[in-house]
Amino acid sequence: MIGSRLWLFQRISSLFLLVYIIYIALFFVNNNNISYFDWTLFFLSFETRVLTSIFFIIVLVHGFIGLWTVGTDYLTPRTLGLYSSFANIADSLRKIYQAFFVLLGLFCSISIIYLIWS
Amino acid sequence: MQKIEVNLYRYNPEKDRFPYMMSYSLDKPKKDIMVLDLLNMLKEEDESISYRRSCREGVCGSDGMNINGKNGLACITPLSSVIKKNKIELRPLPGLPVIRDLVVDMTEFYAQYEKIKPFLQNDTEAPLQERLQSPEDRNKLDGFYECILCACCSTSCPSFWWNPDKFVGPAALLQAYRFLADSRDLKTAERLDDLSDPFSVYRCHGIMNCVSVCPKGLNPNEAIGEIKDMLLKKKKNIIVSDG
């Protein structure tokens, strides 16, 4: 059922991303001449912090699933078969590619959570 | 007399290091002919040209090829519908290894077909004559059983090019749904389990190349949508029964 889970996650998460974008858009629509103070106050509120944290975590997971899909499409011995020297190392290349994005995702998550809650 | 130029993909692994395109010039036929007839005319000129053909009426699915950039069956494709400025380009079906000229190795395609178990599975006692179906249940198979396995759809699908060993491909998925939708088949849950990984069905991103090229006018994308629907309903049932 992992296929169905990933498929559903991508769709439901994109709906949440849309909700968050509407939430931010409403802040702009409801406030004229937004000052740095208004902006800071808005981002210091508990609900904005929670929503923003969830938003970035979901963006990272959603993005990783997309990148994993791209990697398993393009970085395979078959896809790189035209260039035989690459075909032999395609699986290793894909693992490096995935490891890079996992590490980048972890670094971004920690940095974002630190920025939002510190 | 007007001439037509045929650019043909040539490759003989015993002689050629790489494939190449060979140009042939033929008198333009007075009446409209099928692309297969054109190939037969070429074969009279050059006997070394290789391609598959059998029924020459769109039933056997042997002569699937890439005609001016679009997959189709040579035997039911009128020359007038594909020729541009008196030029035509014929290549083998994309994505599959070429054995020679327009003949491709379809092992991977058939392996996916085999994977979906294309036969009725019903372990209840066989009735005296046959397993009957209501006309309504029979109608559910329309549009899904007519596939002739020419591979035009699967070989026009980038997901199949990239993962022919993991993504089942539109042709076999159409067949998979034909058995999932059959009221006489009792292995629906097992069939769905076999398709529930991230590759078998979910690598279809709905780009519709399969629908655009199917020479029988079928809609594999609709079948794939139905399978996804069944997979999601099955997942929901599992969550409800677990909860």
Side-chain angles (χ1 to χ4, degrees):
Chain A
M1 287 281 105
I2 183 77
S4 303
R5 280 198 201 109
L6 290 178
W7 189 88
L8 257 182
F9 178 82
Q10 289 297 74
R11 267 102 201 130
I12 293 170
S13 60
S14 52
L15 280 177
F16 177 82
L17 302 184
L18 180 69
V19 169
Y20 181 81
I21 289 166
I22 293 170
Y23 174 74
I24 297 290
L26 283 176
F27 170 73
F28 283 106
V29 170
N30 293 332
N31 297 282
N32 292 326
N33 301 323
I34 299 162
S35 64
Y36 177 74
F37 181 71
D38 297 328
W39 184 249
T40 311
L41 213 59
F42 175 65
F43 268 92
L44 282 177
S45 71
F46 181 73
E47 55 271 24
T48 306
R49 281 176 163 186
V50 169
L51 282 174
T52 308
S53 305
I54 297 172
F55 172 80
F56 278 109
I57 299 295
I58 285 180
V59 162
L60 290 169
V61 179
H62 184 103
F64 180 76
I65 294 171
L67 288 164
W68 172 79
T69 308
V70 171
T72 47
D73 276 346
Y74 292 105
L75 297 176
T76 63
R78 168 60 68 106
T79 315
L80 297 179
L82 275 177
Y83 314 100
S84 52
S85 52
F86 282 113
N88 299 331
I89 55 162
D91 289 332
S92 311
L93 272 178
R94 191 175 65 253
K95 281 174 190 156
I96 294 168
Y97 160 90
Q98 284 168 355
F100 171 75
F101 283 110
V102 167
L103 290 175
L104 186 68
L106 283 174
F107 173 74
C108 289
S109 317
I110 294 165
S111 313
I112 289 161
I113 298 298
Y114 176 76
L115 279 173
I116 293 170
W117 293 96
S118 63
Chain B
M1 188 160 207
Q2 247 189 338
K3 292 274 187 188
I4 53 173
E5 188 186 327
V6 185
N7 280 312
L8 190 68
Y9 181 100
R10 302 298 315 264
Y11 178 57
N12 178 354
E14 288 171 9
K15 286 199 298 190
D16 309 319
R17 192 157 170 233
F18 296 109
Y20 60 96
M21 298 301 289
M22 188 176 244
S23 187
Y24 296 87
S25 186
L26 285 175
D27 289 338
K28 192 173 186 178
K30 284 178 187 149
K31 58 174 187 175
D32 198 10
I33 58 169
M34 298 296 169
V35 174
L36 180 64
D37 299 324
L38 182 78
L39 272 169
N40 291 340
M41 285 160 67
L42 277 181
K43 180 112 178 142
E44 280 175 24
E45 268 190 23
D46 181 352
E47 281 186 343
S48 69
I49 297 172
S50 301
Y51 52 95
R52 288 195 181 106
R53 45 92 64 207
S54 181
C55 74
R56 55 100 185 105
E57 56 185 9
V59 175
C60 71
S62 303
D63 61 353
M65 62 186 68
N66 190 275
I67 307 166
N68 269 355
K70 189 176 176 184
N71 290 355
L73 288 181
C75 60
I76 54 168
T77 305
L79 188 59
S80 60
S81 69
V82 285
I83 198 160
K84 284 176 191 159
K85 295 179 182 167
N86 285 335
K87 280 185 186 173
I88 183 168
E89 195 167 283
L90 301 174
R91 291 169 180 268
L93 290 174
L96 293 178
V98 176
I99 295 172
R100 183 170 164 161
D101 297 340
L102 301 178
V103 180
V104 289
D105 179 357
M106 295 176 73
T107 309
E108 283 171 325
F109 175 77
Y110 289 128
Q112 292 300 344
Y113 181 54
E114 196 181 338
K115 208 191 267 183
I116 59 109
K117 298 184 179 133
F119 43 84
L120 275 180
Q121 294 184 76
N122 188 325
D123 46 17
T124 58
E125 197 181 336
L128 220 51
Q129 284 190 319
E130 57 190 316
R131 295 189 195 278
L132 294 174
Q133 248 185 334
S134 70
E136 292 75 27
D137 282 338
R138 167 61 190 78
N139 288 344
K140 288 178 190 165
L141 308 183
D142 283 342
F144 304 108
Y145 77 91
E146 299 93 332
C147 174
I148 56 169
L149 295 172
C150 63
C152 285
C153 58
S154 291
T155 57
S156 69
C157 174
S159 290
F160 189 75
W161 299 339
W162 297 326
N163 287 295
D165 53 335
K166 293 184 190 139
F167 175 53
V168 171
L173 285 172
L174 185 88
Q175 295 285 328
Y177 183 65
R178 177 252 171 275
F179 288 99
L180 283 167
D182 197 313
S183 59
R184 298 164 298 178
D185 191 277
L186 302 180
K187 297 284 183 187
T188 306
E190 289 84 346
R191 286 181 186 279
L192 289 174
D193 280 345
D194 290 343
L195 295 170
S196 63
D197 62 281
F199 284 92
S200 294
V201 178
Y202 289 106
R203 273 303 152 109
C204 168
H205 302 302
I207 64 163
M208 311 280 272
N209 275 9
C210 53
V211 182
S212 140
V213 300
C214 178
K216 305 299 279 184
L218 305 177
N219 188 340
N221 206 61
E222 185 190 349
I224 294 168
E226 296 286 352
I227 296 173
K228 282 181 182 169
D229 211 29
M230 290 177 90
L231 280 167
L232 290 171
K233 277 180 186 151
K234 184 166 183 276
K235 180 176 157 55
K236 191 177 150 201
N237 289 342
I238 290 169
I239 292 167
V240 169
S241 60
D242 284 355

